[in-house]
């Protein structure tokens, strides 16, 4: 078979050479004139006019690359800032983790509403301007998220510490009297009159709606931006450009988490209250930072990212050695008209909206009938469930398991973890270009890095911290030595003389190193000082003598966690880097495993499916499972369960890590038939390419033979005519 193909190619080359020599010698034939007219007509339609440096294709493509990178940065910054404010929103609106998951997933709901249509119709319209409109919508949605802060009242948290002006007499933390007296003092959870109208329950709806609008605005950025780069960049540069954009999109979360760390240190009502009256610190479970401030900053940045797209062209000529500027006019004409290059100029085809709509369902059916694409879709959906759930609640995991403040958790995520991901994604794109990986090579590379990261992640189970010692929650009042998670009574003989609320969370640290839920439940009868410096005395539950003291806040007890925490961070950085190495090759696998004309729709439908089946449900069921590990719930001002104050860290670790790794295990099993189908597809395409080349070569060879036969006959007739003329002349 190979010898026949080589013979055909040699014959074809020889015939082409002879025909070109004949055509160049023929200066008076009509075919030459017609070809000249046709070439002149086509070159006029393509490009002959010189371009200024500002409108050069290379410059425009680089401008688009910079603009798209900035848009990726803006959307990644606001998205990561949303995840950094999870605990702040929980405490501010007194909602559980699963409801925070609903708010976080509402971003994907916005994508779900429009992404399929934007990806399909947007590819045939002015893509840069559609991206600009999306950035404007994102900024408006970000501003709406911050709106509740300016509508609701000041943040109030449960506390027995009072800031008494011009008085040295503090109210007793152990009230003695009737139930009515305790109600007037606000110690028992009896709803205040008219508090239903001031409830914060409806305020989180603004956050949800703003996040939905953010999701709608973000829709065109990824599918239209990546397809625009892949259309007008050379094949060898496309992977590098996509890697650069993806890297910038990971740099955005660095600043997002750093912004979250900064805002978490600032009290929520800064500028409206006197800070000396605030009796809690950022390490307290009741602390709420200035979450709204970061959304205002992110909204301004997103609005600025929309500006460059208004000035970019709808389409660009091909760059690189195959581009029109590198070719002769005849080559430019034939390249532009060839079926192979039609997908590089999608914006030049002006098709009516009705025609595009009629073609949508058949095109989608063709896409979903691709087996390799379906397997890839299933694998990425499952892995993104694992990734989104893990990333969403990782700062919360660091706070609760290693007892770090929200500010420090966000800072570590931004400075240590996210840069490792950015470096891994960029290195993956660079390695793909250097190694010149094909589709199968990219698939194996992505699978290998994910498997290594999975194995390393198993060591997280060994990195555990002992739960906080809280009387009545993790410890029994009768046995202060052993931590147990049985239901312990908070009322005992030492605090029986006090009318205390069992639902309040106002922790104090006793001299014995044990945390008590409130000064009242610690049996404290008096207090001195004010604000953060308040000291409670005569705490009967702290010591037998009854004259032991307690201070505000939980007891530190960080010895074991301080030793384990650096190892956790180091392993987290290594696994993040290794897993992200396969990010860019995996993404290029998605682009290259399908036909070029289905590229935009495939990217859009992939984003639609992953966000519908991963982005929306993952934060919700991860949050619901985490809620089951809560040991002590907060109390809303108007009654009802609020945000969780303390978790069972052992159950939290098993649920959080176990669910993450279980999902990835399932994805590895599905990869096995995926590799088999991909191998079959590549072999089939190779066979079809060989058969097609031989068939086309045979047909073209036959046409060339006929043409040579006609030219040879005409030459013989011309020679016969010349010979007869010579004989007549001699006669």
């Amino acid at each position: 078979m190979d010898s026949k193909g080589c013979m055909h190619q040699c014959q074809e080359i020889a015939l082409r050479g002879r025909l070109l020599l004949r055509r160049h010698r023929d200066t008076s034939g009509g075919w030459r004139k017609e070809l000249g007219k046709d070439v002149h007509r086509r070159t006029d339609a393509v490009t002959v006019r010189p371009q200024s440096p500002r409108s050069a294709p290379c410059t425009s493509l680089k401008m688009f690359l910079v603009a798209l990178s900035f848009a990726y940065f803006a959307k990644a910054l606001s998205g990561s800032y949303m995840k950094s404010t999870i605990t702040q929103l929980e405490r501010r609106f007194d909602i559980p983790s699963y409801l925070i998951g609903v708010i976080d997933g509402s971003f994907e709901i916005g994508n779900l509403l429009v992404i399929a249509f934007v990806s399909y119709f947007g590819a045939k319209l002015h893509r840069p301007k559609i991206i600009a409109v999306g950035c404007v919508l994102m900024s408006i949605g970000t501003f709406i998220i911050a709106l509740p802060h300016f509508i609701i009242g000041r943040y109030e948290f449960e506390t027995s510490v009072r800031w008494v002006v011009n008085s040295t007499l503090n109210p007793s933390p152990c009230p003695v009297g009737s139930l009515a007296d305790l109600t007037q003092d606000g110690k028992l959870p009896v709803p205040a009159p008219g508090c239903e109208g001031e409830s914060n329950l409806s305020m989180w709806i603004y956050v949800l709606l703003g996040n939905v609008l953010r999701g709608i605005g973000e829709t065109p950025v990824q599918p239209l931006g990546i397809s625009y780069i892949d259309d007008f960049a050379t094949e060898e540069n496309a992977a590098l450009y996509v890697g650069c954009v993806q890297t910038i999109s990971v740099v955005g979360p660095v600043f997002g988490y750093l912004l979250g760390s900064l805002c978490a240190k600032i009290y929520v009502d800064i500028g409206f209250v006197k800070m000396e009256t605030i009796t809690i610190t950022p390490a307290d479970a009741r602390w709420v930072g200035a979450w709204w401030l970061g959304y205002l900053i992110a909204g301004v940045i997103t609005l600025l990212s929309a500006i460059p797209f208004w000035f970019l062209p709808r389409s660009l000529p091909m760059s690189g050695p195959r581009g029109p500027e590198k070719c002769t006019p005849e080559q430019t004409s034939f390249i532009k008209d060839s079926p192979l290059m039609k997908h590089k100029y999608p914006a030049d085809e002006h098709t009516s909206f009705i025609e595009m709509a009629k073609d949508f369902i058949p095109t989608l059916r063709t896409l979903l009938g691709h087996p390799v694409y379906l397997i890839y879709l299933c694998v990425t959906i499952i892995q993104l469930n694992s990734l989104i759930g893990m990333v969403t609640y990782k700062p919360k995991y660091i706070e609760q398991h290693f007892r770090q403040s929200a500010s420090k958790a966000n800072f570590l995520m931004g400075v240590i973890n996210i840069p490792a991901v950015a470096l891994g994604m960029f290195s993956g794109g660079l390695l793909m270009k250097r190694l010149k990986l094909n589709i199968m090579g990219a698939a194996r590379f992505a699978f290998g890095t994910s498997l290594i990261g999975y194995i390393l992640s198993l060591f997280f189970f060994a990195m555990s911290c002992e739960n906080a010692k809280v009387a009545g929650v993790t410890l029994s009042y009768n046995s202060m030595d052993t931590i147990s998670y049985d239901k312990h009574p908070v009322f005992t003989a030492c605090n029986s003389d006090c009318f205390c609320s069992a639902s309040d969370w106002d922790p104090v640290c006793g001299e014995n190193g044990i945390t008590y839920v409130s000064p009242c439940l610690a049996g404290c009868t008096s207090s001195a000082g004010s604000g953060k410096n308040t000291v409670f005395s005569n705490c009967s539950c702290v010591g037998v003598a009854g004259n032991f003291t307690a201070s505000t806040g939980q007891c530190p007890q960080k010895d074991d966690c301080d030793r384990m925490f650096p190892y956790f961070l180091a392993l987290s950085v290594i696994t993040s880097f290794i897993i992200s190495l396969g990010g860019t090759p995996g993404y290029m696998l998605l682009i290259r495993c399908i036909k070029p004309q289905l590229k935009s729709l495939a990217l859009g439908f992939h984003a639609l499916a992953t966000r519908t089946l991963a982005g929306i449900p993952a934060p919700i069921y991860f949050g619901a499972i985490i809620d089951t590990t809560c040991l002590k719930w907060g109390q809303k001002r108007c009654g009802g369960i609020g945000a969780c104050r303390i978790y069972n860290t052992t159950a939290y670790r098993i649920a959080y890590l176990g669910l993450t790794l279980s999902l990835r295990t399932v994805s590895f099993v599905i990869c096995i038939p995926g590799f088999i189908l991909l191998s079959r597809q590549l072999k089939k395409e190779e066979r079809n390419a060989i058969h097609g080349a031989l068939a086309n070569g045979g047909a073209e060879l036959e046409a060339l033979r006929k043409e040579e036969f006609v030219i040879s006959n005409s030459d013989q007739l011309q020679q016969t005519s010349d010979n007869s003329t010579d004989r007549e002349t001699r006669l």
Side-chain angles (χ1 to χ4, degrees), residues 675-686:
F675 276 109
I676 297 173
L677 291 173
L678 180 60
S679 178
R680 290 178 180 176
Q681 176 186 323
L682 294 177
K683 291 180 180 178
K684 182 179 178 181
E685 289 178 355
E686 186 177 356

Side-chain angles (χ1 to χ4, degrees), residues 553-601:
Q554 287 184 252
C555 297
Q557 294 179 345
K558 289 186 176 181
D559 293 340
D560 56 336
C561 285
D562 287 341
R563 289 192 299 268
M564 190 64 66
F565 192 49
Y567 296 103
F568 171 83
L569 292 177
L571 184 60
S572 179
V573 168
I574 295 172
T575 54
S576 298
F577 174 78
I578 293 176
I579 293 174
S580 60
L581 272 175
T584 301
Y587 200 78
M588 296 309 297
L589 171 64
L590 169 62
I591 296 176
R592 300 284 168 81
C593 75
I594 52 175
K595 295 179 180 179
Q597 56 267 31
L598 297 175
K599 185 166 42 187
S600 291
L601 181 60

Side-chain angles (χ1 to χ4, degrees), residues 362-374:
T363 306
L364 184 62
R365 190 182 298 115
T366 302
L367 178 65
L368 296 180
H370 197 293
V372 176
Y373 179 78
L374 276 181

Side-chain angles (χ1 to χ4, degrees), residues 366-573:
T366 302
L367 178 65
L368 296 180
H370 197 293
V372 176
Y373 179 78
L374 276 181
I375 292 290
Y376 180 90
L377 200 62
C378 293
V379 171
T380 52
I381 286 173
I382 296 174
Q383 288 207 346
L384 281 175
N385 268 276
S386 172
L387 179 64
I388 291 172
M390 180 191 70
V391 173
T392 300
Y393 294 101
K394 191 167 187 177
K396 186 183 179 75
Y397 179 77
I398 294 174
E399 291 177 46
Q400 297 296 330
H401 194 271
F402 296 100
R403 295 194 278 279
Q404 305 292 330
S405 67
S407 176
K408 187 174 181 180
N410 291 328
F411 178 80
L412 293 173
M413 283 286 292
V415 172
I416 297 178
N417 205 269
I418 302 299
V421 176
L423 181 61
M425 296 191 73
F426 179 78
S427 301
L430 194 61
L431 284 173
M432 187 175 180
K433 182 180 180 181
R434 291 285 177 87
L435 300 176
K436 297 181 180 179
L437 298 176
N438 56 11
I439 296 179
M440 181 59 74
R444 289 172 179 169
F445 186 85
F447 179 83
T449 55
S450 182
L451 183 61
I452 294 172
Y454 170 83
I455 295 172
L456 291 176
S457 298
L458 295 174
F459 290 97
F460 284 124
F461 283 103
M463 298 179 179
S464 60
C465 282
E466 189 179 18
N467 222 122
K469 297 180 179 179
V470 182
V473 179
T474 61
L475 294 175
S476 171
Y477 275 89
N478 299 323
S479 176
M480 293 291 189
D481 298 328
T482 306
I483 292 180
S484 66
Y485 300 106
D486 299 331
K487 192 171 181 62
H488 302 292
V490 293
F491 298 106
T492 186
C494 62
N495 56 29
S496 59
D497 294 335
C498 304
F499 286 90
C500 307
S501 170
S503 58
D504 281 350
W505 177 257
D506 185 19
V508 293
C509 178
E511 280 191 359
N512 56 356
I514 305 297
T515 300
Y516 295 85
V517 174
S518 68
C520 183
L521 291 174
C524 303
T525 57
S526 62
S527 62
S530 60
K532 301 173 185 177
N533 300 319
T534 303
V535 177
F536 301 94
S537 56
N538 298 324
C539 302
S540 57
C541 295
V542 174
V544 180
N547 57 357
F548 286 86
T549 60
S551 56
T552 58
Q554 287 184 252
C555 297
Q557 294 179 345
K558 289 186 176 181
D559 293 340
D560 56 336
C561 285
D562 287 341
R563 289 192 299 268
M564 190 64 66
F565 192 49
Y567 296 103
F568 171 83
L569 292 177
L571 184 60
S572 179
V573 168

Side-chain angles (χ1 to χ4, degrees), residues 17-37:
R18 290 199 296 271
L19 286 174
L20 286 173
L21 288 173
R22 289 180 184 277
R23 290 171 182 172
H24 278 293
R25 288 198 301 266
D26 186 9
T27 57
S28 59
W31 178 87
R32 175 82 174 177
K33 294 178 182 178
E34 289 299 322
L35 178 63
K37 291 179 182 178

